[in-house]
Amino acid sequence: MTDSPSLTTPLDPKEQPILDRLLATRDKLSLLKQDRSTYIKSHDVLDLYEQVIEQVHLLNTIREGHDKPLEQNRVNNVLDDCFQLISLFFLTIGRNNEAPAVYSMTSTIRRLLDHLKEAAFYSPKDLESAGQALDSMQVTLKRGEESHSPYLLKLLRNRLDTCRQLLSALQLSLADLSLELTPTYERLVSILRSISAANTRQKFPRGEVQGFQDQLREIQATMVDGKFLAEDSTTPAGQNVATELLNRCLKWSDIVLERQGNIDERFKLTYEKLCSIRNHLEKLSITQAWSLRETDLYDYQRQLDRIDESRVNGNFEDSLGNKADLHAQRTLLYLIRRSYAYIYTLIISSEPVSEALLPVFNQLQTLRRCLLEVKRSGGVSSPRELYPYSMKLHSIDDMRVDGKFMVGADIPEGQGSVNSLLAECFDLNYELRIEAEENDSPEF
């Protein structure tokens, strides 16, 4: 396994033993990640987590003694790998609401916010989602003050602060956008992203892109003397923001139609690799409940990080140092952003349930959806129609031992979530049965 992409400085000899131990721990984490013969057990993850925290303590002692608390070198790179893996392991074992689980999310949000800033277009909804995620992580850190290392908590708070600063800067750039112009602006953002998505299809959808271009021209046609007007014919604030985005959309649609999905040959390998990553993550987002082990996201994160950080002053360059043209540059950046966005969605959608209990949890979620759909469609005409649901619920209930779902002698994380969902399904089934019995009763 190679280190996290980052600039390095020479290693202090006193830090070498720490580096060696962290490398060994990272190897153990990697092996544990690859082991599909059994589910990930909490005690295995917690043991490795404590080993990493011990090395962080030693590292801080050395650096504070040399007055270099903020130094960055290979130890930091390997430590980042360890924390990324541990964070994803905490999600895998269902401990989503504990401080270590926050680390990977802060990395992903930081990347996304950096890219939004660079792209210079985003919707208020994008920022709202990021803000909510940061607020949720802040609550998690507060909850973990008594149970987790102060070194880890300080590190995570700093990462959250960095994300909040980026978020504030992005929010400030949209501060002048009026409520009247916001729907138009968000529509432009959506069209621009749709054009970029069409640009990366295996078969270029020319008609679809032309349709987006027609929508842009319709929006442009609503302008009067180069300005967007409100319903009362006044000129709402945020003209520059919306006009610049409209012009950018029109220019990008022209470029995409001209290139018809053909990327510059110099960047074809990078393009294909990014398309592959994006496509795999897209599939995971569809089948997440049944196929995702959160630690799988680590490899995708690292591949994206390396491609992203291979740029020179923000530009993709070929082997001779020549910059990519605008089409290649924007296409590659779109694929990176889209892939990070999938990772973000997969992480925030992760359920606080151990992978050992996920099969049961997923079955109960399916049952819940079915029962809710039956309820929405008017219920059942006879209690007999509920027998399949009742039998399945009782078969799942019979799996419990003293009220707990066991795997061998282990009690996996997420008991509360699974038991709560089971109880909800029983309640729904009971309500439907009572309603059916009342409807089925003869009237005298």
Side-chain angles (χ1 to χ4, degrees):
M1 180 186 290
T2 56
D3 296 345
S4 304
S6 180
L7 295 175
T8 60
T9 57
L11 184 68
D12 184 329
K14 290 185 179 180
E15 295 183 10
Q16 187 62 51
I18 295 174
L19 175 61
D20 293 340
R21 286 190 286 270
L22 285 174
L23 286 168
T25 302
R26 187 180 69 176
D27 288 343
K28 292 176 184 177
L29 288 165
S30 181
L31 289 173
L32 186 61
K33 176 175 74 72
Q34 295 169 20
D35 185 4
R36 293 278 181 172
S37 62
T38 184
Y39 76 95
I40 304 295
K41 299 177 178 62
S42 294
H43 62 80
D44 292 333
V45 175
L46 293 175
D47 287 346
L48 293 169
Y49 166 65
E50 292 299 333
Q51 291 177 30
V52 173
I53 293 298
E54 182 182 353
Q55 300 312 306
V56 171
H57 175 65
L58 294 173
L59 181 63
N60 285 342
T61 302
I62 291 173
R63 290 187 175 176
E64 288 171 1
H66 288 83
D67 196 25
K68 295 180 179 179
L70 301 178
E71 182 174 345
Q72 296 287 316
N73 57 31
R74 194 183 177 206
V75 176
N76 297 81
N77 297 347
V78 178
L79 186 60
D80 179 61
D81 285 336
C82 291
F83 274 132
Q84 289 280 4
L85 282 164
I86 285 171
S87 178
L88 293 170
F89 270 119
F90 265 71
L91 296 176
T92 303
I93 63 176
R95 302 181 79 151
N96 303 41
N97 298 320
E98 296 193 28
V102 167
Y103 192 94
S104 184
M105 177 57 94
T106 59
S107 300
T108 304
I109 289 184
R110 169 68 186 273
R111 292 279 181 177
L112 277 174
L113 293 176
D114 280 337
H115 274 275
L116 290 179
K117 181 180 179 180
E118 182 180 7
F121 76 90
Y122 39 86
S123 75
K125 292 179 182 178
D126 297 331
L127 306 186
E128 183 181 345
S129 174
Q132 290 173 350
L134 292 174
D135 290 341
S136 176
M137 287 187 280
Q138 192 73 52
V139 172
T140 300
L141 295 191
K142 184 70 175 176
R143 190 188 303 121
E145 287 179 351
E146 301 298 325
S147 54
H148 288 284
S149 163
Y151 299 107
L152 173 67
L153 293 173
K154 182 179 179 181
L155 172 64
L156 292 173
R157 287 193 190 99
N158 289 340
R159 292 167 73 88
L160 278 183
D161 288 344
T162 300
C163 290
R164 286 198 182 279
Q165 290 169 11
L166 278 167
L167 180 62
S168 295
L170 294 172
Q171 289 170 332
L172 184 61
S173 67
L174 290 183
D176 293 334
L177 186 65
S178 63
L179 290 176
E180 293 87 350
L181 264 185
T182 297
T184 300
Y185 181 84
E186 289 183 339
R187 186 182 175 194
L188 289 171
V189 170
S190 176
I191 291 173
L192 185 54
R193 289 175 175 169
S194 297
I195 293 172
S196 295
N199 178 51
T200 59
R201 298 260 187 88
Q202 191 169 9
K203 183 178 180 181
F204 181 69
R206 185 176 184 83
E208 188 175 330
V209 176
Q210 286 176 330
F212 291 130
Q213 194 174 63
D214 291 340
Q215 292 181 44
L216 293 171
R217 288 179 177 141
E218 289 173 6
I219 294 173
Q220 188 179 38
T222 65
M223 301 174 73
V224 178
D225 296 330
K227 296 183 182 298
F228 291 99
L229 299 181
E231 290 183 2
D232 58 1
S233 298
T234 58
T235 305
Q239 294 291 322
N240 289 340
V241 178
T243 303
E244 287 176 8
L245 183 55
L246 174 59
N247 292 334
R248 180 172 180 177
C249 288
L250 288 167
K251 182 178 180 180
W252 181 232
S253 65
D254 287 336
I255 293 173
V256 169
L257 284 170
E258 180 185 346
R259 298 298 292 268
Q260 298 189 52
N262 295 314
I263 193 83
D264 188 325
E265 284 295 327
R266 297 174 299 158
F267 302 96
K268 193 70 177 287
L269 289 177
T270 303
Y271 172 77
E272 290 175 348
K273 185 174 184 179
L274 285 171
C275 279
S276 176
I277 293 172
R278 189 270 312 269
N279 293 341
H280 278 108
L281 289 169
E282 184 178 20
K283 289 177 182 176
L284 279 176
S285 70
I286 296 171
T287 62
Q288 175 183 13
W290 303 97
S291 62
L292 177 68
R293 173 183 271 189
E294 283 81 356
T295 50
D296 294 341
L297 298 176
Y298 175 82
D299 293 331
Y300 296 115
Q301 284 178 324
R302 283 296 177 244
Q303 290 178 67
L304 290 169
D305 292 349
R306 288 184 174 81
I307 294 173
D308 197 18
E309 297 193 7
S310 70
R311 295 187 286 154
V312 180
N313 296 323
N315 297 304
F316 287 99
E317 294 186 354
D318 63 16
S319 57
L320 299 177
N322 298 312
K323 296 179 182 179
D325 61 22
L326 184 60
H327 177 260
Q329 178 78 10
R330 286 192 180 177
T331 300
L332 297 177
L333 285 177
Y334 164 77
L335 288 169
I336 291 175
R337 281 195 299 271
R338 193 75 193 98
S339 297
Y340 278 130
Y342 275 127
I343 291 174
Y344 168 79
T345 301
L346 288 165
I347 290 177
I348 64 173
S349 301
S350 175
E351 298 286 354
V353 174
S354 166
E355 64 173 347
L357 292 184
L358 273 180
V360 174
F361 186 76
N362 291 334
Q363 289 178 56
L364 287 171
Q365 281 193 313
T366 301
L367 277 170
R368 178 179 176 275
R369 283 194 293 269
C370 290
L371 290 167
L372 285 172
E373 185 57 37
V374 170
K375 187 175 183 179
R376 277 193 292 268
S377 61
V380 294
S381 57
S382 167
R384 290 179 179 275
E385 295 178 41
L386 294 171
Y387 282 179
Y389 302 110
S390 299
M391 290 176 63
K392 184 61 180 178
L393 285 171
H394 284 292
S395 71
I396 292 175
D397 190 34
D398 289 342
M399 295 168 62
R400 296 193 292 177
V401 178
D402 295 329
K404 297 181 178 67
F405 289 94
M406 308 283 289
V407 177
D410 297 326
I411 305 175
E413 302 283 344
Q415 298 288 327
S417 296
V418 179
N419 281 316
S420 175
L421 189 55
L422 177 62
E424 184 182 358
C425 288
F426 268 120
D427 288 343
L428 284 168
N429 192 62
Y430 176 75
E431 291 171 9
L432 288 167
R433 181 168 61 81
I434 293 300
E435 184 180 340
E437 288 175 349
E438 290 176 350
N439 294 335
D440 199 37
S441 299
E443 296 183 5
F444 295 100

